[in-house]
Amino acid sequence: MQRRDYIKLLLSGIGSLLFKIPLKALQLNRPIHSKHFGTFYWGVATAAYQIEGSHDVDGKGLSIWDTFSNKSGNIKDKNNGNTACNFYYTYKEDIEILKNLNFKDFRFSLSWSRIFPHDNSKVNQKGIDFYHRIIDTCLEKNINPWITLYHWDLPQYIQEKGGWANREVLNYFEEFAHTTSKTYGDKVSKWMVLNEPAAFTTFGYLTGIHAPGKISLNSYFASVHHAVLAQSLGGKILRENVKNSFIGTTFSCSPVEPASQKAKNIRAARRLDVAVNRMFIEPSLGMGYPSNDFRLLESLNKYIKEGDEAKMPFEFDFIGLQHYFRIIAKYSLARPFIWATDMDPKKRGVETTAMNWEVHPESMYHIIKYFSKYPIKQIIISESGAAFEDSITNGSINDIRRIKFFDETLQQVLRAKNEGINVSGYFVWTFMDNFEWAEGYRPRFGIVHNDFNTQKRTVKDSGYWFKEFLSSEI
Ligand code: FCB
C-alpha cells in the first residue's frame, strides 16, 4: 500500500469512529483487488481443535491437545480448547458469514479422535456425520470444502504408544486416511495431508511447548521421519480414493537470513534453513533429507528402514505454504545441536504482532520465490494472517493494522505471481478468533471477532475489507 493510501485508509477509519459511519460503507482507495489475480482460490483456513469445542460430545475420544491443554501450566491463562468457538454447533451460521464475505473456499481439518475415538477398529458414526454436515452446508452454499487430514490433534491412545515417535502411527494414519477419503472423497476433491510437520514435530517432541509436550532429540527425529512417510502415504491413499483429486500438503516456512556475513552466522542460517524449510519438502520431491547441509540429520538414519527412501516421494498437485515471519539467524551456544537462534524481533526494534512475530510483508514474496526453485506444480498460500490487539467500539472493530497487513502481503503474493510463479490461492488465517494453541485465546487472528463468553461473532473491518476485495468473485 502506498503511504498516501494508508493515510487515507487511516483517516477513513478515524472518520468512521467520529461519525459512526461503518468502515464498510466508505469507499476505500484500494490499490489491489482480487480480479488482479485472475483465477485464484480465495479462502479462510481453520483447524478442528482451534474452533470446534465439544471435546467430549457425541462419542469423541481424547486427543493429545485435550490432554495437554487441560494440564495446568501448558497454556497461557489456564485456557483450554474444550469449548473454543463452539463451531460444532455454530458451523451453519459461521459458513453463512464466510459466504457473505464473498469467500469461495473453506479449509477445515478433521478431528481424528471424533472419527476413531478409541482405536482403529470402530468408527464413530456421529463424528463421521458431523463432517458430512459441514461439507453439505458448504456445497449448498457454493463454497468449496478443503479438508486437512491432520492438524495436530493426534488421538491420545496413539500417543500412549509413543505418538509420532512410534512407527506404528503409520498404520493408524493409513486407516484414518483411507476411511475418511473413502467416506468424503465423492463430495470433496481438495485435500491437504499434514499441517506443518516441522511445527508439530519440533514443538511437540523437541521443545515440548505443544502437545504432547515431549523434550527428546530421539523422539524428535523419529517423529520427523514418520511424518515424512505419513505425508506421502496420505497423498497416495487420497489419490486412490478421491474423485478428481487435488492433493497438497502444507509447510510452515520462513526466509532465513544470517545476522551478519560472519562465517559462523552464515552456517547457523544454513542449519536453521534446513530445519525450518527443507526437511519435509525435499524428501517429498525424491531429494532425500538435506543432511549435507546439517550433519545432525544423519541421526534420522536410525529410523530409516529398507525401502523407506522409495516411499518418501509423492507428486503433490500443490504445496501449501504457511508463512508468518522471517528469521534472522545468529550462531548461539545457548541452543545445543542446532547452535543457532533467531534474533528476537523486539531486540531488533522492528514492528511485531501480538505473537511477537515481525511484520515484514516482503518476506511473503521471498518465501514464494524460494520455494519456486523446487519442481512444484502449484503453490497455494494455505495460511497467512496476523494477530493484533482489537477493540470493539460501538459494536464494530476497526482493525486497520490487520487490513494494512493483508493489503501489503497480498501485494507481495501478486508480485510473485506477476513474475510467472504459479501461485494459485490464498487462505486467510483465520476466519474467526480462536484457540491459539499454547497462547490460549489472547492472540486474535480472526477477520471475524469472537466473544468467547457469549460466542457472539462480529465481522471485523478486515472481514468487510475482504468482502469488498472479493466483490468480483461472486
Ligand atoms: C500456524 C498453525 C495454525 C495457527 C497459526 C497462527 O502455525 O498452523 O494452526 O496456529 O500458526
PDB file of all heavy atoms in Angstrom, residues 110 115-116 128 147 149 173-189 191 233-243 245 247:
ATOM      1  N   LEU A 110     -10.043 -32.427  10.072  1.00  0.00           N
ATOM      2  CA  LEU A 110     -10.849 -33.476  10.703  1.00  0.00           C
ATOM      3  C   LEU A 110     -10.267 -33.799  12.067  1.00  0.00           C
ATOM      4  O   LEU A 110      -9.051 -33.989  12.191  1.00  0.00           O
ATOM      5  CB  LEU A 110     -10.815 -34.758   9.857  1.00  0.00           C
ATOM      6  CG  LEU A 110     -11.240 -34.626   8.396  1.00  0.00           C
ATOM      7  CD1 LEU A 110     -11.079 -35.988   7.688  1.00  0.00           C
ATOM      8  CD2 LEU A 110     -12.675 -34.138   8.270  1.00  0.00           C
ATOM      9  N   ILE A 115     -13.506 -39.316  14.926  1.00  0.00           N
ATOM     10  CA  ILE A 115     -13.827 -40.359  13.935  1.00  0.00           C
ATOM     11  C   ILE A 115     -13.391 -41.744  14.425  1.00  0.00           C
ATOM     12  O   ILE A 115     -14.125 -42.724  14.284  1.00  0.00           O
ATOM     13  CB  ILE A 115     -13.195 -39.973  12.579  1.00  0.00           C
ATOM     14  CG1 ILE A 115     -13.940 -38.716  12.076  1.00  0.00           C
ATOM     15  CG2 ILE A 115     -13.285 -41.110  11.569  1.00  0.00           C
ATOM     16  CD1 ILE A 115     -13.424 -38.112  10.820  1.00  0.00           C
ATOM     17  N   PHE A 116     -12.201 -41.805  14.979  1.00  0.00           N
ATOM     18  CA  PHE A 116     -11.737 -43.049  15.630  1.00  0.00           C
ATOM     19  C   PHE A 116     -11.446 -42.729  17.096  1.00  0.00           C
ATOM     20  O   PHE A 116     -10.309 -42.447  17.462  1.00  0.00           O
ATOM     21  CB  PHE A 116     -10.464 -43.576  14.956  1.00  0.00           C
ATOM     22  CG  PHE A 116     -10.685 -44.215  13.620  1.00  0.00           C
ATOM     23  CD1 PHE A 116     -10.301 -43.575  12.453  1.00  0.00           C
ATOM     24  CD2 PHE A 116     -11.261 -45.481  13.519  1.00  0.00           C
ATOM     25  CE1 PHE A 116     -10.496 -44.168  11.207  1.00  0.00           C
ATOM     26  CE2 PHE A 116     -11.455 -46.085  12.277  1.00  0.00           C
ATOM     27  CZ  PHE A 116     -11.075 -45.427  11.123  1.00  0.00           C
ATOM     28  N   ILE A 128     -18.332 -39.006  12.011  1.00  0.00           N
ATOM     29  CA  ILE A 128     -18.386 -39.008  10.544  1.00  0.00           C
ATOM     30  C   ILE A 128     -19.493 -38.056  10.068  1.00  0.00           C
ATOM     31  O   ILE A 128     -19.299 -37.253   9.157  1.00  0.00           O
ATOM     32  CB  ILE A 128     -18.698 -40.453  10.035  1.00  0.00           C
ATOM     33  CG1 ILE A 128     -17.525 -41.396  10.325  1.00  0.00           C
ATOM     34  CG2 ILE A 128     -19.115 -40.459   8.572  1.00  0.00           C
ATOM     35  CD1 ILE A 128     -16.412 -41.365   9.322  1.00  0.00           C
ATOM     36  N   ILE A 147     -10.304 -30.220   2.844  1.00  0.00           N
ATOM     37  CA  ILE A 147     -10.075 -30.955   4.092  1.00  0.00           C
ATOM     38  C   ILE A 147      -8.580 -31.084   4.389  1.00  0.00           C
ATOM     39  O   ILE A 147      -7.802 -31.495   3.527  1.00  0.00           O
ATOM     40  CB  ILE A 147     -10.699 -32.365   4.010  1.00  0.00           C
ATOM     41  CG1 ILE A 147     -12.234 -32.256   3.949  1.00  0.00           C
ATOM     42  CG2 ILE A 147     -10.267 -33.219   5.201  1.00  0.00           C
ATOM     43  CD1 ILE A 147     -12.956 -33.590   3.913  1.00  0.00           C
ATOM     44  N   LEU A 149      -6.280 -33.412   6.564  1.00  0.00           N
ATOM     45  CA  LEU A 149      -6.393 -34.664   7.312  1.00  0.00           C
ATOM     46  C   LEU A 149      -5.895 -34.511   8.741  1.00  0.00           C
ATOM     47  O   LEU A 149      -6.517 -34.950   9.687  1.00  0.00           O
ATOM     48  CB  LEU A 149      -5.552 -35.748   6.633  1.00  0.00           C
ATOM     49  CG  LEU A 149      -6.196 -36.604   5.555  1.00  0.00           C
ATOM     50  CD1 LEU A 149      -5.159 -37.607   5.043  1.00  0.00           C
ATOM     51  CD2 LEU A 149      -7.419 -37.339   6.079  1.00  0.00           C
ATOM     52  N   PHE A 173      -2.540 -44.053  10.861  1.00  0.00           N
ATOM     53  CA  PHE A 173      -2.772 -42.959   9.911  1.00  0.00           C
ATOM     54  C   PHE A 173      -3.324 -43.495   8.586  1.00  0.00           C
ATOM     55  O   PHE A 173      -4.210 -42.896   7.964  1.00  0.00           O
ATOM     56  CB  PHE A 173      -1.473 -42.173   9.675  1.00  0.00           C
ATOM     57  CG  PHE A 173      -1.666 -40.941   8.830  1.00  0.00           C
ATOM     58  CD1 PHE A 173      -2.368 -39.847   9.329  1.00  0.00           C
ATOM     59  CD2 PHE A 173      -1.171 -40.869   7.538  1.00  0.00           C
ATOM     60  CE1 PHE A 173      -2.573 -38.708   8.552  1.00  0.00           C
ATOM     61  CE2 PHE A 173      -1.364 -39.743   6.758  1.00  0.00           C
ATOM     62  CZ  PHE A 173      -2.063 -38.663   7.262  1.00  0.00           C
ATOM     63  N   GLU A 174      -2.813 -44.642   8.196  1.00  0.00           N
ATOM     64  CA  GLU A 174      -3.267 -45.261   6.944  1.00  0.00           C
ATOM     65  C   GLU A 174      -4.774 -45.528   7.011  1.00  0.00           C
ATOM     66  O   GLU A 174      -5.533 -45.198   6.093  1.00  0.00           O
ATOM     67  CB  GLU A 174      -2.503 -46.572   6.736  1.00  0.00           C
ATOM     68  CG  GLU A 174      -2.844 -47.225   5.435  1.00  0.00           C
ATOM     69  CD  GLU A 174      -1.904 -48.391   5.110  1.00  0.00           C
ATOM     70  OE1 GLU A 174      -0.976 -48.676   5.908  1.00  0.00           O
ATOM     71  OE2 GLU A 174      -2.134 -49.013   4.072  1.00  0.00           O
ATOM     72  N   GLU A 175      -5.201 -46.083   8.137  1.00  0.00           N
ATOM     73  CA  GLU A 175      -6.619 -46.413   8.306  1.00  0.00           C
ATOM     74  C   GLU A 175      -7.468 -45.139   8.338  1.00  0.00           C
ATOM     75  O   GLU A 175      -8.536 -45.054   7.731  1.00  0.00           O
ATOM     76  CB  GLU A 175      -6.783 -47.200   9.622  1.00  0.00           C
ATOM     77  CG  GLU A 175      -8.183 -47.720   9.882  1.00  0.00           C
ATOM     78  CD  GLU A 175      -8.697 -48.662   8.798  1.00  0.00           C
ATOM     79  OE1 GLU A 175      -7.940 -49.572   8.424  1.00  0.00           O
ATOM     80  OE2 GLU A 175      -9.835 -48.456   8.337  1.00  0.00           O
ATOM     81  N   PHE A 176      -6.966 -44.141   9.042  1.00  0.00           N
ATOM     82  CA  PHE A 176      -7.690 -42.865   9.155  1.00  0.00           C
ATOM     83  C   PHE A 176      -7.827 -42.209   7.768  1.00  0.00           C
ATOM     84  O   PHE A 176      -8.915 -41.785   7.364  1.00  0.00           O
ATOM     85  CB  PHE A 176      -6.921 -41.953  10.123  1.00  0.00           C
ATOM     86  CG  PHE A 176      -7.442 -40.544  10.222  1.00  0.00           C
ATOM     87  CD1 PHE A 176      -8.760 -40.290  10.583  1.00  0.00           C
ATOM     88  CD2 PHE A 176      -6.592 -39.461   9.979  1.00  0.00           C
ATOM     89  CE1 PHE A 176      -9.238 -38.973  10.683  1.00  0.00           C
ATOM     90  CE2 PHE A 176      -7.058 -38.159  10.079  1.00  0.00           C
ATOM     91  CZ  PHE A 176      -8.386 -37.911  10.431  1.00  0.00           C
ATOM     92  N   ALA A 177      -6.721 -42.160   7.020  1.00  0.00           N
ATOM     93  CA  ALA A 177      -6.739 -41.535   5.692  1.00  0.00           C
ATOM     94  C   ALA A 177      -7.651 -42.328   4.756  1.00  0.00           C
ATOM     95  O   ALA A 177      -8.417 -41.755   3.972  1.00  0.00           O
ATOM     96  CB  ALA A 177      -5.322 -41.466   5.126  1.00  0.00           C
ATOM     97  N   HIS A 178      -7.573 -43.639   4.863  1.00  0.00           N
ATOM     98  CA  HIS A 178      -8.357 -44.496   3.993  1.00  0.00           C
ATOM     99  C   HIS A 178      -9.855 -44.314   4.255  1.00  0.00           C
ATOM    100  O   HIS A 178     -10.634 -44.063   3.331  1.00  0.00           O
ATOM    101  CB  HIS A 178      -7.934 -45.949   4.230  1.00  0.00           C
ATOM    102  CG  HIS A 178      -8.459 -46.865   3.192  1.00  0.00           C
ATOM    103  ND1 HIS A 178      -7.957 -46.896   1.908  1.00  0.00           N
ATOM    104  CD2 HIS A 178      -9.471 -47.757   3.233  1.00  0.00           C
ATOM    105  CE1 HIS A 178      -8.631 -47.784   1.205  1.00  0.00           C
ATOM    106  NE2 HIS A 178      -9.562 -48.319   1.986  1.00  0.00           N
ATOM    107  N   THR A 179     -10.237 -44.410   5.515  1.00  0.00           N
ATOM    108  CA  THR A 179     -11.661 -44.302   5.880  1.00  0.00           C
ATOM    109  C   THR A 179     -12.225 -42.931   5.505  1.00  0.00           C
ATOM    110  O   THR A 179     -13.298 -42.834   4.904  1.00  0.00           O
ATOM    111  CB  THR A 179     -11.825 -44.500   7.406  1.00  0.00           C
ATOM    112  OG1 THR A 179     -11.275 -45.769   7.720  1.00  0.00           O
ATOM    113  CG2 THR A 179     -13.270 -44.455   7.839  1.00  0.00           C
ATOM    114  N   THR A 180     -11.505 -41.871   5.837  1.00  0.00           N
ATOM    115  CA  THR A 180     -12.062 -40.533   5.591  1.00  0.00           C
ATOM    116  C   THR A 180     -12.101 -40.222   4.089  1.00  0.00           C
ATOM    117  O   THR A 180     -13.072 -39.633   3.611  1.00  0.00           O
ATOM    118  CB  THR A 180     -11.248 -39.450   6.328  1.00  0.00           C
ATOM    119  OG1 THR A 180      -9.863 -39.627   6.023  1.00  0.00           O
ATOM    120  CG2 THR A 180     -11.446 -39.557   7.830  1.00  0.00           C
ATOM    121  N   SER A 181     -11.076 -40.652   3.353  1.00  0.00           N
ATOM    122  CA  SER A 181     -11.098 -40.331   1.923  1.00  0.00           C
ATOM    123  C   SER A 181     -12.158 -41.154   1.195  1.00  0.00           C
ATOM    124  O   SER A 181     -12.776 -40.689   0.243  1.00  0.00           O
ATOM    125  CB  SER A 181      -9.719 -40.497   1.287  1.00  0.00           C
ATOM    126  OG  SER A 181      -9.224 -41.787   1.507  1.00  0.00           O
ATOM    127  N   LYS A 182     -12.389 -42.391   1.651  1.00  0.00           N
ATOM    128  CA  LYS A 182     -13.484 -43.196   1.069  1.00  0.00           C
ATOM    129  C   LYS A 182     -14.825 -42.558   1.401  1.00  0.00           C
ATOM    130  O   LYS A 182     -15.744 -42.553   0.593  1.00  0.00           O
ATOM    131  CB  LYS A 182     -13.468 -44.610   1.683  1.00  0.00           C
ATOM    132  CG  LYS A 182     -12.528 -45.557   0.991  1.00  0.00           C
ATOM    133  CD  LYS A 182     -13.367 -46.630   0.303  1.00  0.00           C
ATOM    134  CE  LYS A 182     -12.507 -47.546  -0.524  1.00  0.00           C
ATOM    135  NZ  LYS A 182     -12.799 -47.647  -1.898  1.00  0.00           N
ATOM    136  N   THR A 183     -14.943 -42.044   2.628  1.00  0.00           N
ATOM    137  CA  THR A 183     -16.217 -41.501   3.091  1.00  0.00           C
ATOM    138  C   THR A 183     -16.566 -40.177   2.426  1.00  0.00           C
ATOM    139  O   THR A 183     -17.704 -39.951   2.047  1.00  0.00           O
ATOM    140  CB  THR A 183     -16.150 -41.278   4.625  1.00  0.00           C
ATOM    141  OG1 THR A 183     -15.738 -42.500   5.224  1.00  0.00           O
ATOM    142  CG2 THR A 183     -17.498 -40.881   5.193  1.00  0.00           C
ATOM    143  N   TYR A 184     -15.578 -39.293   2.325  1.00  0.00           N
ATOM    144  CA  TYR A 184     -15.901 -37.949   1.833  1.00  0.00           C
ATOM    145  C   TYR A 184     -15.393 -37.704   0.402  1.00  0.00           C
ATOM    146  O   TYR A 184     -15.632 -36.633  -0.157  1.00  0.00           O
ATOM    147  CB  TYR A 184     -15.286 -36.882   2.760  1.00  0.00           C
ATOM    148  CG  TYR A 184     -15.654 -37.038   4.221  1.00  0.00           C
ATOM    149  CD1 TYR A 184     -14.673 -37.240   5.202  1.00  0.00           C
ATOM    150  CD2 TYR A 184     -16.993 -36.982   4.634  1.00  0.00           C
ATOM    151  CE1 TYR A 184     -15.008 -37.371   6.542  1.00  0.00           C
ATOM    152  CE2 TYR A 184     -17.334 -37.124   5.979  1.00  0.00           C
ATOM    153  CZ  TYR A 184     -16.341 -37.316   6.924  1.00  0.00           C
ATOM    154  OH  TYR A 184     -16.683 -37.466   8.255  1.00  0.00           O
ATOM    155  N   GLY A 185     -14.679 -38.662  -0.137  1.00  0.00           N
ATOM    156  CA  GLY A 185     -13.986 -38.458  -1.420  1.00  0.00           C
ATOM    157  C   GLY A 185     -14.886 -38.213  -2.609  1.00  0.00           C
ATOM    158  O   GLY A 185     -14.429 -37.695  -3.637  1.00  0.00           O
ATOM    159  N   ASP A 186     -16.188 -38.559  -2.509  1.00  0.00           N
ATOM    160  CA  ASP A 186     -17.090 -38.283  -3.628  1.00  0.00           C
ATOM    161  C   ASP A 186     -17.555 -36.839  -3.619  1.00  0.00           C
ATOM    162  O   ASP A 186     -17.972 -36.295  -4.624  1.00  0.00           O
ATOM    163  CB  ASP A 186     -18.353 -39.158  -3.525  1.00  0.00           C
ATOM    164  CG  ASP A 186     -18.048 -40.586  -3.935  1.00  0.00           C
ATOM    165  OD1 ASP A 186     -16.944 -40.804  -4.470  1.00  0.00           O
ATOM    166  OD2 ASP A 186     -18.906 -41.451  -3.708  1.00  0.00           O
ATOM    167  N   LYS A 187     -17.509 -36.241  -2.432  1.00  0.00           N
ATOM    168  CA  LYS A 187     -18.030 -34.870  -2.304  1.00  0.00           C
ATOM    169  C   LYS A 187     -16.915 -33.831  -2.276  1.00  0.00           C
ATOM    170  O   LYS A 187     -17.126 -32.682  -2.618  1.00  0.00           O
ATOM    171  CB  LYS A 187     -18.781 -34.732  -0.969  1.00  0.00           C
ATOM    172  CG  LYS A 187     -20.046 -35.539  -0.823  1.00  0.00           C
ATOM    173  CD  LYS A 187     -20.606 -35.207   0.567  1.00  0.00           C
ATOM    174  CE  LYS A 187     -21.848 -35.963   0.895  1.00  0.00           C
ATOM    175  NZ  LYS A 187     -22.269 -35.676   2.281  1.00  0.00           N
ATOM    176  N   VAL A 188     -15.755 -34.234  -1.751  1.00  0.00           N
ATOM    177  CA  VAL A 188     -14.662 -33.266  -1.561  1.00  0.00           C
ATOM    178  C   VAL A 188     -13.472 -33.691  -2.413  1.00  0.00           C
ATOM    179  O   VAL A 188     -12.956 -34.802  -2.256  1.00  0.00           O
ATOM    180  CB  VAL A 188     -14.234 -33.208  -0.072  1.00  0.00           C
ATOM    181  CG1 VAL A 188     -13.106 -32.207   0.138  1.00  0.00           C
ATOM    182  CG2 VAL A 188     -15.420 -32.857   0.806  1.00  0.00           C
ATOM    183  N   SER A 189     -13.034 -32.799  -3.287  1.00  0.00           N
ATOM    184  CA  SER A 189     -11.902 -33.163  -4.149  1.00  0.00           C
ATOM    185  C   SER A 189     -10.586 -32.564  -3.640  1.00  0.00           C
ATOM    186  O   SER A 189      -9.515 -33.030  -3.998  1.00  0.00           O
ATOM    187  CB  SER A 189     -12.170 -32.709  -5.581  1.00  0.00           C
ATOM    188  OG  SER A 189     -12.381 -31.311  -5.603  1.00  0.00           O
ATOM    189  N   TRP A 191      -7.824 -31.708  -0.887  1.00  0.00           N
ATOM    190  CA  TRP A 191      -7.347 -32.238   0.395  1.00  0.00           C
ATOM    191  C   TRP A 191      -5.915 -31.783   0.670  1.00  0.00           C
ATOM    192  O   TRP A 191      -5.126 -31.600  -0.251  1.00  0.00           O
ATOM    193  CB  TRP A 191      -7.360 -33.774   0.361  1.00  0.00           C
ATOM    194  CG  TRP A 191      -8.723 -34.393   0.273  1.00  0.00           C
ATOM    195  CD1 TRP A 191      -9.574 -34.359  -0.795  1.00  0.00           C
ATOM    196  CD2 TRP A 191      -9.389 -35.162   1.296  1.00  0.00           C
ATOM    197  NE1 TRP A 191     -10.731 -35.053  -0.492  1.00  0.00           N
ATOM    198  CE2 TRP A 191     -10.644 -35.555   0.771  1.00  0.00           C
ATOM    199  CE3 TRP A 191      -9.046 -35.559   2.592  1.00  0.00           C
ATOM    200  CZ2 TRP A 191     -11.553 -36.324   1.503  1.00  0.00           C
ATOM    201  CZ3 TRP A 191      -9.949 -36.325   3.318  1.00  0.00           C
ATOM    202  CH2 TRP A 191     -11.199 -36.698   2.783  1.00  0.00           C
ATOM    203  N   LEU A 233       2.353 -41.220   2.221  1.00  0.00           N
ATOM    204  CA  LEU A 233       1.351 -42.278   2.367  1.00  0.00           C
ATOM    205  C   LEU A 233      -0.056 -41.677   2.235  1.00  0.00           C
ATOM    206  O   LEU A 233      -0.908 -42.185   1.485  1.00  0.00           O
ATOM    207  CB  LEU A 233       1.520 -42.923   3.745  1.00  0.00           C
ATOM    208  CG  LEU A 233       0.538 -44.007   4.156  1.00  0.00           C
ATOM    209  CD1 LEU A 233       0.711 -45.238   3.273  1.00  0.00           C
ATOM    210  CD2 LEU A 233       0.746 -44.410   5.628  1.00  0.00           C
ATOM    211  N   GLY A 234      -0.295 -40.588   2.937  1.00  0.00           N
ATOM    212  CA  GLY A 234      -1.600 -39.915   2.866  1.00  0.00           C
ATOM    213  C   GLY A 234      -1.904 -39.495   1.435  1.00  0.00           C
ATOM    214  O   GLY A 234      -3.021 -39.691   0.946  1.00  0.00           O
ATOM    215  N   GLY A 235      -0.907 -38.919   0.771  1.00  0.00           N
ATOM    216  CA  GLY A 235      -1.105 -38.482  -0.621  1.00  0.00           C
ATOM    217  C   GLY A 235      -1.535 -39.644  -1.506  1.00  0.00           C
ATOM    218  O   GLY A 235      -2.487 -39.535  -2.287  1.00  0.00           O
ATOM    219  N   LYS A 236      -0.863 -40.793  -1.340  1.00  0.00           N
ATOM    220  CA  LYS A 236      -1.183 -41.955  -2.196  1.00  0.00           C
ATOM    221  C   LYS A 236      -2.594 -42.471  -1.927  1.00  0.00           C
ATOM    222  O   LYS A 236      -3.328 -42.818  -2.850  1.00  0.00           O
ATOM    223  CB  LYS A 236      -0.153 -43.071  -1.966  1.00  0.00           C
ATOM    224  CG  LYS A 236       1.175 -42.760  -2.633  1.00  0.00           C
ATOM    225  CD  LYS A 236       2.278 -43.708  -2.200  1.00  0.00           C
ATOM    226  CE  LYS A 236       3.623 -43.038  -2.488  1.00  0.00           C
ATOM    227  NZ  LYS A 236       4.709 -43.535  -1.641  1.00  0.00           N
ATOM    228  N   ILE A 237      -2.970 -42.520  -0.666  1.00  0.00           N
ATOM    229  CA  ILE A 237      -4.306 -43.024  -0.316  1.00  0.00           C
ATOM    230  C   ILE A 237      -5.385 -42.079  -0.869  1.00  0.00           C
ATOM    231  O   ILE A 237      -6.390 -42.518  -1.425  1.00  0.00           O
ATOM    232  CB  ILE A 237      -4.433 -43.191   1.217  1.00  0.00           C
ATOM    233  CG1 ILE A 237      -3.457 -44.262   1.690  1.00  0.00           C
ATOM    234  CG2 ILE A 237      -5.864 -43.533   1.621  1.00  0.00           C
ATOM    235  CD1 ILE A 237      -3.301 -44.355   3.196  1.00  0.00           C
ATOM    236  N   LEU A 238      -5.146 -40.784  -0.722  1.00  0.00           N
ATOM    237  CA  LEU A 238      -6.123 -39.816  -1.241  1.00  0.00           C
ATOM    238  C   LEU A 238      -6.247 -39.970  -2.759  1.00  0.00           C
ATOM    239  O   LEU A 238      -7.339 -39.927  -3.310  1.00  0.00           O
ATOM    240  CB  LEU A 238      -5.694 -38.390  -0.899  1.00  0.00           C
ATOM    241  CG  LEU A 238      -5.736 -38.004   0.588  1.00  0.00           C
ATOM    242  CD1 LEU A 238      -5.092 -36.643   0.819  1.00  0.00           C
ATOM    243  CD2 LEU A 238      -7.178 -37.966   1.095  1.00  0.00           C
ATOM    244  N   ARG A 239      -5.125 -40.168  -3.416  1.00  0.00           N
ATOM    245  CA  ARG A 239      -5.143 -40.313  -4.881  1.00  0.00           C
ATOM    246  C   ARG A 239      -6.020 -41.505  -5.293  1.00  0.00           C
ATOM    247  O   ARG A 239      -6.740 -41.447  -6.280  1.00  0.00           O
ATOM    248  CB  ARG A 239      -3.712 -40.468  -5.396  1.00  0.00           C
ATOM    249  CG  ARG A 239      -3.572 -40.423  -6.883  1.00  0.00           C
ATOM    250  CD  ARG A 239      -3.786 -39.027  -7.507  1.00  0.00           C
ATOM    251  NE  ARG A 239      -2.609 -38.200  -7.469  1.00  0.00           N
ATOM    252  CZ  ARG A 239      -2.614 -36.869  -7.322  1.00  0.00           C
ATOM    253  NH1 ARG A 239      -3.748 -36.213  -7.170  1.00  0.00           N
ATOM    254  NH2 ARG A 239      -1.498 -36.182  -7.307  1.00  0.00           N
ATOM    255  N   GLU A 240      -5.946 -42.565  -4.519  1.00  0.00           N
ATOM    256  CA  GLU A 240      -6.745 -43.765  -4.843  1.00  0.00           C
ATOM    257  C   GLU A 240      -8.239 -43.534  -4.646  1.00  0.00           C
ATOM    258  O   GLU A 240      -9.053 -44.034  -5.403  1.00  0.00           O
ATOM    259  CB  GLU A 240      -6.382 -44.880  -3.853  1.00  0.00           C
ATOM    260  CG  GLU A 240      -5.408 -45.891  -4.366  1.00  0.00           C
ATOM    261  CD  GLU A 240      -4.946 -46.774  -3.206  1.00  0.00           C
ATOM    262  OE1 GLU A 240      -5.773 -47.140  -2.344  1.00  0.00           O
ATOM    263  OE2 GLU A 240      -3.735 -47.051  -3.165  1.00  0.00           O
ATOM    264  N   ASN A 241      -8.588 -42.831  -3.582  1.00  0.00           N
ATOM    265  CA  ASN A 241      -9.997 -42.811  -3.160  1.00  0.00           C
ATOM    266  C   ASN A 241     -10.788 -41.563  -3.518  1.00  0.00           C
ATOM    267  O   ASN A 241     -12.011 -41.573  -3.400  1.00  0.00           O
ATOM    268  CB  ASN A 241     -10.083 -42.969  -1.631  1.00  0.00           C
ATOM    269  CG  ASN A 241      -9.584 -44.326  -1.192  1.00  0.00           C
ATOM    270  OD1 ASN A 241      -9.579 -45.267  -1.974  1.00  0.00           O
ATOM    271  ND2 ASN A 241      -9.154 -44.416   0.046  1.00  0.00           N
ATOM    272  N   VAL A 242     -10.099 -40.494  -3.897  1.00  0.00           N
ATOM    273  CA  VAL A 242     -10.819 -39.233  -4.092  1.00  0.00           C
ATOM    274  C   VAL A 242     -11.046 -38.972  -5.586  1.00  0.00           C
ATOM    275  O   VAL A 242     -10.122 -39.096  -6.382  1.00  0.00           O
ATOM    276  CB  VAL A 242     -10.017 -38.061  -3.466  1.00  0.00           C
ATOM    277  CG1 VAL A 242     -10.666 -36.721  -3.771  1.00  0.00           C
ATOM    278  CG2 VAL A 242      -9.879 -38.259  -1.960  1.00  0.00           C
ATOM    279  N   LYS A 243     -12.267 -38.598  -5.895  1.00  0.00           N
ATOM    280  CA  LYS A 243     -12.626 -38.288  -7.296  1.00  0.00           C
ATOM    281  C   LYS A 243     -12.042 -36.944  -7.692  1.00  0.00           C
ATOM    282  O   LYS A 243     -12.107 -35.994  -6.911  1.00  0.00           O
ATOM    283  CB  LYS A 243     -14.152 -38.172  -7.382  1.00  0.00           C
ATOM    284  CG  LYS A 243     -14.823 -39.368  -7.995  1.00  0.00           C
ATOM    285  CD  LYS A 243     -16.085 -38.894  -8.708  1.00  0.00           C
ATOM    286  CE  LYS A 243     -17.295 -39.422  -8.003  1.00  0.00           C
ATOM    287  NZ  LYS A 243     -18.506 -38.721  -8.119  1.00  0.00           N
ATOM    288  N   SER A 245      -9.187 -35.705  -7.724  1.00  0.00           N
ATOM    289  CA  SER A 245      -8.454 -35.222  -6.556  1.00  0.00           C
ATOM    290  C   SER A 245      -7.493 -34.070  -6.869  1.00  0.00           C
ATOM    291  O   SER A 245      -6.854 -34.028  -7.915  1.00  0.00           O
ATOM    292  CB  SER A 245      -7.677 -36.369  -5.913  1.00  0.00           C
ATOM    293  OG  SER A 245      -6.842 -36.952  -6.884  1.00  0.00           O
ATOM    294  N   ILE A 247      -4.564 -32.643  -4.551  1.00  0.00           N
ATOM    295  CA  ILE A 247      -3.970 -33.010  -3.268  1.00  0.00           C
ATOM    296  C   ILE A 247      -2.712 -32.198  -2.976  1.00  0.00           C
ATOM    297  O   ILE A 247      -1.817 -32.086  -3.807  1.00  0.00           O
ATOM    298  CB  ILE A 247      -3.599 -34.511  -3.270  1.00  0.00           C
ATOM    299  CG1 ILE A 247      -4.850 -35.346  -3.596  1.00  0.00           C
ATOM    300  CG2 ILE A 247      -2.998 -34.939  -1.937  1.00  0.00           C
ATOM    301  CD1 ILE A 247      -4.536 -36.789  -3.912  1.00  0.00           C
TER     302      ILE A 247
END
